[in-house]
Amino acid sequence: MPSLSPSQSLSLSHDFADALPALARPWAADPAPAPQLLVVNEGLAVELGLDPGFLRSPAGVALLVGAALPAGAQPVAQAYAGHQFGGFSPRLGDGRALLLGELTAPDGTLRDLHLKGSGPTPFARAGDGLAAVGPMLREYVMSEAMHALGIPTTRSLAVVATGREVLRETALPGAVLVRTASSHLRVGSVEFARGTGDIAVLRSVVDYAIARHHPEAADDEVPALALFRAVVRTQADLVARWMLVGFIHGVMNTDNMTLSGETIDYGPCAFLDAYDPATVYSSIDTGGRYAYGNQPYIAEWNLARLAEAMLPLFDDDLERAVEKAQGVLAEFRPRFAEARAAGMRRKLGLVPDAAVSGSAVSGSAVSDVEVEALAGDFHEMLGRTRADYTSTFRSLSDAARGDAAALEAALGGDPALAGWLDRWRAHEPAPEVMDAANPIYVPRNHLVEEALAAATDGNLEPLGWLTTVLSAPFTERAGAERYAEPAGPDFAAGYQTFCGT
Ligand code: AMP
Ligand code: MG
């Protein structure tokens, strides 16, 4: 395998492979017959200390498909287990992915460089190890949109078409996604470690996660319990943020939940159109397990599986270990409620924002109870009228500025609206706060599908527009009106998403 010349100076470490050999299978990417760069994330490249010009060159593209390795890189497929739709699979792992290694970004942080769709690994089971252009671009668009919305997530550096055909229902062009993450440690990584039956392996995964993500936990009396608490908190905050923007992950299996608190594995994910907690877009989620409104409960359920896997490290006595785990898990609900309530305040403009008012105001004139009541009534109107979630929230800014026409149109003359508006306006909601909390642009399902279909046919222009608009979701962009509008009712009614296979 050719190495890059030192002048191209990307060096990757192999921290994970060294620290956790029981979870790392050395492996190489399949050669891509005719690699062609479809999209490269120049902003992210710069953040990572990579030269976008180099990434566009043949040598850069070879790196992006795993055909050329930076000197010293030791790519591995990572082992993990996972509860999938409630059932436990002891051996999942990267069936079609590789951790190339970790790079140290200019800001000093360690970031995984990871390929998806790079060929079958020992974990591929019946899968072909490949990925199609559409789903890989989908992950690119969705993850970068989430990042622009301020939500912790893995990032997407590039998508490269491989020139290989991938057989799904039809033959599709194949691709590799190159992504970065603060790590790829998952709840399922800990479940796998526990499943080895070797407590030293379990301890090594926990110690590694602590060192990489929650170093303060090392000083705790029971570091593993402190790690568990940190994950509970970061996941409560994350899922609250999903809920606030109307994001539906779609496949919240424990192998798709990180210890870092980053959103990971964008498969059948989607954003809400009409507000309805029962919304499910994923074609495989027939029972609605991962419906929009279930997400906090599923996150808590997944965290209980994490605690079970870690129990031997909480206490030598099983009963005491369970008690400790339950005590920490009980923090999830209040933490989630607090994060959601704080976000809902901003969405309703009821937070006196230090940046706006020029002074930090502690304690708002609007009580938590009143915010909850206003939010609850607003969601009831959204549900009754099946109004578009994103644009209706955004129309509150104009309503606060005195023009409620868009809000009234969206809520279609709901009889409760007039009274609600009076009550809400009495609190003098701040439009600037809402402008920074309620996005204008989210990756709407019909726009994503349109861009992916064009890209699959070789036209990358709609994808370029979409990613540009989504990179500044709170800022109105002239000429981008259609990106702010919901799909027609026919599209929304029949929309389904498919797992990224
Ligand atoms: P997901 O639900 O997409 O996160 O994937 C669940 C598991 O299936 C993981 O272990 C993946 O590596 C594996 N997998 C998904 N698609 C493929 C594929 N085409 N080939 C091999 N493994 C796959
Ligand atoms: Mg996954």
Side-chain angles (χ1 to χ4, degrees):
M1 187 169 287
S3 283
L4 299 174
S5 75
S7 63
Q8 283 144 358
S9 83
L10 167 65
S11 78
L12 294 182
S13 56
H14 33 80
D15 253 49
F16 178 89
D18 289 349
L20 304 173
L23 275 68
R25 303 280 181 283
W27 201 251
D30 263 8
Q36 190 202 341
L37 186 64
L38 297 181
V39 53
V40 64
N41 189 337
E42 300 207 346
L44 176 60
V46 170
E47 258 179 60
L48 296 171
L50 302 173
D51 171 9
F54 163 67
L55 292 179
R56 289 185 182 283
S57 73
V61 173
L63 173 104
L64 292 172
V65 292
L69 295 178
Q74 295 174 15
V76 295
Q78 293 178 299
Y80 48 84
H83 278 85
Q84 299 180 303
F85 290 90
F88 186 60
S89 297
R91 192 175 185 272
L92 292 170
D94 289 336
R96 54 165 173 174
L98 280 183
L99 174 65
L100 281 184
E102 303 90 10
L103 68 80
T104 304
D107 68 3
T109 57
L110 202 62
R111 309 277 284 271
D112 279 7
L113 197 60
H114 180 98
L115 308 181
K116 189 163 170 179
S118 50
T121 75
F123 301 108
R125 293 168 291 153
D128 59 9
L130 303 175
V133 163
M136 294 306 98
L137 287 175
R138 186 166 220 286
E139 172 153 345
Y140 185 102
V141 170
M142 300 304 280
S143 62
E144 287 307 302
M146 292 286 273
H147 174 72
L149 288 164
I151 298 174
T153 176
T154 63
R155 303 286 307 275
S156 293
L157 179 62
V159 177
V160 184
T162 56
R164 185 195 306 281
E165 249 185 19
V166 180
L167 287 176
R168 295 295 179 256
E169 271 157 32
T170 56
L172 297 168
V176 169
L177 167 79
V178 188
R179 76 178 176 197
T180 69
S182 70
S183 92
H184 282 76
L185 289 170
R186 306 148 190 269
V187 169
S189 311
V190 181
E191 292 181 290
F192 180 88
R194 177 68 192 276
T196 64
D198 183 344
I199 205 81
V201 170
L202 178 62
R203 199 177 294 282
S204 67
V205 173
V206 165
D207 287 347
Y208 186 74
I210 288 174
R212 204 145 164 197
H213 298 299
H214 304 289
E216 69 292 343
D219 302 327
D220 199 274
E221 201 184 321
V222 187
L225 194 65
L227 172 68
F228 179 52
R229 180 177 287 113
V231 178
V232 164
R233 290 179 178 171
T234 189
Q235 283 293 339
D237 293 347
L238 178 67
V239 177
R241 284 164 164 230
W242 291 357
M243 300 303 285
L244 290 162
V245 296
F247 175 74
I248 308 169
H249 183 283
V251 59
M252 285 177 73
N253 296 332
T254 57
D255 51 305
N256 293 335
M257 189 187 228
T258 59
L259 302 185
S260 66
E262 288 176 350
T263 311
I264 196 171
D265 278 2
Y266 293 84
C269 59
F271 277 71
L272 274 183
D273 294 307
Y275 172 74
D276 178 356
T279 304
V280 174
Y281 292 117
S282 168
S283 63
I284 58 169
D285 191 4
T286 47
R289 179 180 171 89
Y290 299 138
Y292 171 73
N294 278 359
Q295 295 186 120
Y297 303 104
I298 292 294
E300 187 186 44
W301 190 91
N302 288 350
L303 291 163
R305 305 290 78 75
L306 176 61
E308 282 168 4
M310 292 170 75
L311 276 181
L313 303 182
F314 293 164
D315 202 297
D316 292 336
D317 177 83
L318 181 61
E319 225 166 281
R320 275 205 304 271
V322 169
E323 257 168 45
K324 286 179 181 171
Q326 282 170 339
V328 172
L329 190 59
E331 294 177 24
F332 179 85
R333 288 184 186 209
R335 177 80 179 211
F336 171 81
E338 194 185 312
R340 185 188 168 280
M344 202 45 77
R345 262 184 190 269
R346 287 190 293 274
K347 286 180 82 68
L348 294 176
L350 300 178
V351 175
D353 186 349
V356 172
S357 64
S359 67
V361 183
S362 62
S364 153
V366 193
S367 71
D368 289 347
V369 174
E370 174 65 352
V371 174
E372 273 310 298
L374 282 165
D377 292 349
F378 190 71
H379 282 81
E380 268 181 31
M381 290 189 286
L382 284 174
R384 268 200 297 274
T385 57
R386 295 199 64 76
D388 178 71
Y389 183 78
T390 300
S391 59
T392 309
F393 261 109
R394 183 71 187 197
S395 71
L396 287 171
S397 290
D398 278 348
R401 291 184 173 104
D403 173 8
L407 179 65
E408 278 161 7
L411 293 177
D414 191 286
L417 179 57
W420 187 89
L421 269 175
D422 286 345
R423 227 168 95 210
W424 175 66
R425 279 180 171 148
H427 297 301
E428 297 178 14
E432 299 87 344
V433 172
M434 287 185 281
D435 283 347
N438 296 316
I440 308 171
Y441 311 112
V442 295
R444 290 176 177 278
N445 305 318
H446 65 293
L447 299 171
V448 173
E449 296 305 327
E450 171 192 274
L452 299 189
T456 300
D457 286 342
N459 175 13
L460 292 165
E461 205 174 310
L463 183 84
W465 277 110
L466 184 61
T467 52
T468 300
V469 169
L470 294 174
S471 69
F474 300 102
T475 310
E476 194 165 352
R477 189 183 289 266
E481 291 74 15
R482 71 181 287 263
Y483 293 87
E485 284 163 16
D490 292 350
F491 179 92
Y495 186 63
Q496 277 208 318
T497 56
F498 298 89
C499 258
T501 46

